[in-house]
Amino acid sequence: MNRVIDMEKTFLLSQGDLKIPCKLSQPDFGEVRRVVLGVHGLGGSANDEIQVGIAEEMELFYSATLRFDFPAHGESPMTDAAFTLKNCVDSLLTVARYAREQYAQVEDLCIFATGFGAYVTLVALQDLLEMPGQVKLVVQTPSILMHETLLAMKGISRETLWAMDRVTLQAERPFDVTYSFYEELRENIAMTAYPIPMLILHGEDDAFIRMSDIQQFHRINEQSKLVIIPGTSHRFLEEGAWDMVLDLTRDWFEFEQVLLSDWS
């Protein structure tokens, strides 16, 4: 179920042929202390319940939150043909630059990214780190090996996707992914070390992303903190799961620590 924030600014950002729908919310009073980017997953949108929940939570801590839709997702006017990894990375970087320009006085650019959005963020991370200020990162169910996750989600092999050339992903807004998109993913592996502290949130019962891959990613990123949410699947739909994510994300952006006693 999607949620919406009553008071938010909606607009389009342009980058070349890209038209990126954005939603900006900020505190009603007090000075903005940080900017939070919400980066949705495959088949999701800026109106995903967790993305709106993060925005609502962070407003209480003097944060502006900027969410956006990837091509072929949500309110994006772009067609399925525009859904490429490059266009997704360009969308993220365009939104991040806008946030930096609009809030030049703010040091922290905080990013909450889930699934495919976490993968895109990691692919774009070097460019993000070259922007002014500090990046704080929370990745929830990060699709480190996104090409494998895509095949697992559809229950098909690489050879089958090659033969079909494209498959449709059923979501709130169904869209096609092509074999060339799969090849883009295969050529951009996010299983590497990144020079930044990050909080990794993962569901214990995730059927699409192997626990061993998440643990390996955690090991090679020595500045990371890994929290496994018990009894939780890939989409975190279980009762109470999103509440845990909100609490953990807030504490990471506020203190760069996991403060809940159950996770320490």
Side-chain angles (χ1 to χ4, degrees):
M1 182 179 67
N2 287 344
R3 300 160 59 180
V4 296
I5 296 177
D6 291 335
M7 299 295 293
E8 65 182 6
K9 176 183 177 183
T10 62
F11 57 95
L12 286 175
L13 288 179
S14 297
Q15 174 62 39
D17 292 333
L18 288 174
K19 305 296 180 185
I20 309 162
C22 298
K23 299 179 185 295
L24 174 65
S25 57
Q26 61 183 26
D28 292 332
F29 58 88
E31 185 177 354
V32 172
R33 298 194 318 203
R34 69 179 61 78
V35 181
V36 179
L37 297 190
V39 191
H40 68 75
L42 197 64
S45 77
N47 279 338
D48 284 354
E49 183 172 8
I50 187 56
Q51 297 293 346
V52 177
I54 293 289
E56 292 175 336
E57 181 76 12
M58 295 310 301
E59 275 188 34
L60 301 176
F61 293 85
Y62 304 100
S63 302
T65 302
L66 186 56
R67 296 133 46 219
F68 68 98
D69 291 324
F70 283 130
H73 287 66
E75 299 170 7
S76 172
M78 303 299 285
T79 64
D80 295 349
F83 184 61
T84 66
L85 177 58
K86 181 181 184 305
N87 280 346
C88 291
V89 169
D90 286 348
S91 295
L92 172 59
L93 293 176
T94 299
V95 173
R97 291 188 189 101
Y98 174 86
R100 284 302 198 192
E101 291 168 1
Q102 294 299 307
Y103 298 94
Q105 79 283 3
V106 175
E107 174 69 14
D108 289 346
L109 177 66
C110 300
I111 303 176
F112 173 83
T114 183
F116 172 71
Y119 166 78
V120 172
T121 300
L122 293 171
V123 171
L125 192 56
Q126 187 55 53
D127 288 324
L128 290 167
L129 293 176
E130 290 176 0
M131 298 180 189
Q134 174 177 298
V135 174
K136 291 185 176 180
L137 181 60
V138 176
V139 289
Q140 180 253 324
T141 60
S143 300
I144 310 301
L145 304 174
M146 187 63 217
H147 64 296
E148 294 184 3
T149 302
L150 176 63
L151 297 180
M153 292 177 73
K154 289 299 296 182
I156 60 176
S157 67
R158 177 188 177 190
E159 291 74 19
T160 299
L161 179 57
W162 178 83
M164 297 174 66
D165 184 56
R166 68 182 59 235
V167 293
T168 300
L169 286 181
Q170 296 300 328
E172 183 175 343
R173 176 182 171 181
F175 62 101
D176 287 350
V177 294
T178 62
Y179 183 78
S180 62
F181 174 71
Y182 167 84
E183 284 295 318
E184 272 192 291
L185 302 180
R186 199 164 70 92
E187 292 170 3
N188 290 272
I189 302 299
M191 181 68 82
T192 188
Y194 297 93
I196 182 177
M198 73 176 80
L199 176 61
I200 306 166
L201 306 178
H202 193 62
E204 179 184 36
D205 300 327
D206 193 315
F208 299 127
I209 303 173
R210 292 186 295 264
M211 181 68 72
S212 59
D213 290 338
I214 292 294
Q215 291 170 333
Q216 180 183 353
F217 181 70
H218 171 50
R219 284 194 298 271
I220 64 178
N221 282 277
E222 298 179 355
Q223 300 183 70
S224 68
K225 173 73 174 180
L226 172 62
V227 175
I228 305 298
I229 311 295
T232 302
S233 61
H234 181 70
R235 300 191 188 282
F236 276 50
L237 298 179
E238 292 74 15
E239 184 177 357
W242 287 133
D243 290 334
M244 296 179 188
V245 171
L246 289 174
D247 288 342
L248 291 160
T249 299
R250 178 199 62 227
D251 290 347
W252 190 260
F253 288 161
E254 275 287 305
F255 310 108
E256 214 166 281
Q257 296 181 41
V258 173
L259 300 181
L260 293 178
S261 59
D262 289 348
W263 309 115
S264 58

